[in-house]
Amino acid sequence: MTLIADSFIGGTFLKREEPNWLMVLKIAMPLCLSYIPIGLACGILLHAAGFNFLLTLLVSIVVFSGGAQFLIASLLTINAPIISIVVTLFFLELRYALLGSSLSRYLKGQSQHFIWLFSVSLNDENYAVNYLKFATDKTWTPKQALMVEHYSLLSWSVANLIGSLIGSALTIDLEIVDFALTALFLYMIVMQIRNRMTLLISLLSGVLAVAFMVWTKSTLGLVLSTLVASFIGFLVEAKIRKGKGRLSDHWLFGKVRGPAVTRKTIEDKKSTES
Amino acid sequence: MDSWDHFLLIILAAIAAFIPRYLPMLFFSKREIPEWFNEWMKYVPVSLFTALVVKSLFITTAGYHFAPFAHVNQLIAAVIVIVITYMTRSMALSVILGLVAVFVITMVM
C-alpha cells in the first residue's frame, strides 16, 4: 500500500491509504494504454485474415501475445497450412520458457492453481513490468503481479475486439503502430542497464540476434541469441567472482551513468551488504 | 479455411503458447532453484529485449534478411525513445512520444 494523500486535519496527519486494486492499476496503466493501438491494429489485421469478432476475442484471450497474433494473421493471409502456423508459433513462444523461469524465483510457495493462472496470462510486456517491480520493490507481491497481468489482458482483448469490429472500415499503417512494442522494449532495456557488463551483454545479444535469425530464418534465432548472450554474461561474472571476490571492484561492473543509478534495486542492496 | 478451421487453429495455437509458459514455471516454482541458474537468468531479460528490438529494427519479416537501413524512421525514433527514457524514466512518456516521433518522421520522410 502506498500513501497518496496526507490530509492535515485537526493538527494531525491522517494518512489515507490507496486501495490495492487502484495502486496496481496505476502501475499497469502505461502498459494498458500502449496495448490499445497495438490491440486495435491486431484486431483489424485478424479481421482482414478472415477471423470474425468472436474468434478474434478468443485468440486474444487464449494466446495473448502480440507477436503471435500478428504472425497468425500474416500467415493466414498467405494461406499457410495450419500445422506450419502452429509450429512457427511454438518457436516464437519458446522465449516464454526463459521469462517464466526467470520470474519463478519470485513465485515460490504459490499454489498450483496460482502458477497455472499466472502462466496463462504471462506475456512480454506484463513480464517486463513485473520483473522491474519484483527487482526494485520489496513489497511487490505475486498477487499484485497477477493483477497487472489481468489488467493488461483485459485492455488487450477489448482493444482486439474493437479493432475486429471496426476492421472493415479502417486501414492503418501497421508499421507505425507496431513501433509501440519496440518503444516499450527499449524503455525496459535502458532501465535495466546498470553497469558496463549489462550494456555489453545487451550489445552482444543484438549482434547474435541478427546472426542467428539470418541463419535459422526464423524467430528461433531470438531464443538462441538470448540463451547464448545471457550464458556468456553468467560465465564472465562467475569467472570474475572467482578471481576477485568483489564484483563491484571490477571495471566491467562499474556503474553506468543511467536512469537506474538513482534507484536502488534489491540486488544492489544485496551486493553492498555482502 | 472456414470458421471451424480457424477455431481449430486457435486451440492449437493456445496449446503452443501455453506449454512454454507453464512447464518451466511449474518446475522451478516447486524446486529449490540452483544459484547458478538464478545468476544466469539475471541476464535473460536484457538479452531478450535487445534481440526483440533488433528483430523489429534490422530484420525483414519476409525471409529474415539483415536490412540495417530498412526502417530509418524507426531507427531515429528509437534513439529519441532512448533519450526520453534516460531523462524521464517514464514508461508512458517513452512509448507515447516514441509513437508520435515515428509518425511525424514517417510523414516527413
Side-chain angles (χ1 to χ4, degrees):
Chain A
M1 297 271 174
T2 54
L3 306 163
I4 44 163
D6 299 309
S7 34
F8 191 70
I9 301 169
T12 51
F13 280 106
L14 287 183
K15 291 185 171 156
R16 193 153 61 86
E17 285 214 326
E18 197 176 14
N20 190 34
W21 66 267
L22 186 63
M23 190 203 93
V24 179
L25 182 62
K26 278 184 181 167
I27 289 161
M29 197 41 89
L31 177 58
C32 295
L33 289 179
S34 74
Y35 267 167
I36 292 172
I38 312 164
L40 285 174
C42 196
I44 293 169
L45 205 66
L46 284 169
H47 172 88
F51 275 25
N52 63 34
F53 72 94
L54 279 176
L55 289 172
T56 302
L57 184 64
L58 182 67
V59 78
S60 72
I61 294 169
V62 298
V63 176
F64 188 29
S65 160
Q69 287 170 234
F70 275 98
L71 183 92
I72 290 175
S74 59
L75 287 183
L76 274 178
T77 48
I78 58 165
N79 287 318
I82 286 185
I83 190 68
S84 76
I85 299 178
V86 174
V87 170
T88 320
L89 197 110
F90 181 73
F91 282 114
L92 180 71
E93 301 291 278
L94 259 186
R95 67 179 185 283
Y96 287 110
L98 296 170
L99 299 190
S101 317
S102 83
L103 263 192
S104 59
R105 65 168 146 160
Y106 299 111
L107 303 174
K108 291 204 80 100
Q110 298 297 319
S111 68
Q112 292 254 16
H113 175 72
F114 183 91
I115 298 292
W116 183 85
L117 210 57
F118 195 89
S119 55
V120 286
S121 43
L122 175 74
N123 81 356
D124 289 314
E125 296 79 20
N126 61 35
Y127 161 81
V129 171
N130 279 326
Y131 185 85
L132 211 60
K133 283 305 281 181
F134 274 126
T136 57
D137 184 352
K138 255 193 276 190
T139 60
W140 192 243
T141 64
K143 267 219 170 71
Q144 290 172 319
L146 184 64
M147 218 186 270
V148 168
E149 291 193 346
H150 286 162
Y151 284 136
S152 57
L153 177 57
L154 185 68
S155 81
W156 173 251
S157 43
V158 169
N160 266 272
L161 178 63
I162 295 171
S164 168
L165 292 174
I166 60 173
S168 44
L170 256 176
T171 50
I172 46 159
D173 190 337
L174 279 176
E175 206 176 274
I176 289 178
V177 181
D178 200 32
F179 186 75
L181 283 179
T182 309
L184 192 65
F185 294 140
L186 281 168
Y187 168 83
M188 292 301 164
I189 295 169
V190 175
M191 291 304 281
Q192 282 183 55
I193 289 179
R194 290 195 290 272
N195 51 40
R196 296 192 184 97
M197 184 66 184
T198 352
L199 183 63
L200 284 178
I201 292 302
S202 162
L203 294 175
L204 174 68
S205 175
V207 175
L208 288 177
V210 171
F212 283 135
M213 273 189 281
V214 169
W215 178 50
T216 60
K217 299 269 169 237
S218 79
T219 46
L220 187 60
L222 286 176
V223 180
L224 289 177
S225 67
T226 304
L227 279 176
V228 174
S230 56
F231 193 65
I232 289 175
F234 159 72
L235 283 183
V236 172
E237 192 179 316
K239 203 168 155 50
I240 293 171
R241 214 187 281 273
K242 233 179 173 180
K244 271 209 147 182
R246 273 180 67 92
L247 272 184
S248 45
D249 292 342
H250 197 275
W251 71 271
L252 263 179
F253 289 88
K255 290 267 180 242
V256 170
R257 267 184 61 85
V261 169
T262 52
R263 190 203 54 207
K264 279 251 171 187
T265 66
I266 291 174
E267 273 131 18
D268 285 339
K269 278 178 200 143
K270 257 193 217 151
S271 68
T272 48
E273 277 162 16
S274 58
Chain B
M1 275 196 226
D2 60 20
S3 283
W4 278 112
D5 289 329
H6 285 155
F7 185 70
L8 177 70
L9 171 64
I10 291 172
I11 298 306
L12 291 174
I15 295 168
F18 176 70
I19 292 170
R21 289 174 214 223
Y22 180 60
L23 293 183
M25 204 177 253
L26 182 71
F27 183 82
F28 284 114
S29 62
K30 284 204 296 193
R31 281 164 189 76
E32 201 53 50
I33 306 168
E35 185 64 17
W36 63 267
F37 188 79
N38 264 341
E39 295 292 326
W40 179 10
M41 286 298 127
K42 218 167 67 181
Y43 290 102
V44 163
V46 81
S47 306
L48 179 66
F49 292 138
T50 312
L52 284 168
V53 167
V54 164
K55 177 182 177 286
S56 57
L57 292 182
F58 301 117
I59 302 286
T60 57
T61 32
Y64 290 91
H65 297 298
F66 178 51
F69 303 111
H71 310 285
V72 179
N73 52 345
Q74 299 199 15
L75 278 180
I76 302 169
V79 175
I80 295 173
V81 170
I82 291 172
V83 172
I84 294 170
T85 305
Y86 191 88
M87 293 192 314
T88 67
R89 291 171 51 186
S90 155
M91 185 201 278
L93 269 181
S94 308
V95 172
I96 292 165
L97 291 179
L99 275 176
V100 171
V102 79
F103 181 73
V104 171
I105 295 165
T106 309
M107 294 280 275
V108 172
M109 276 167 52

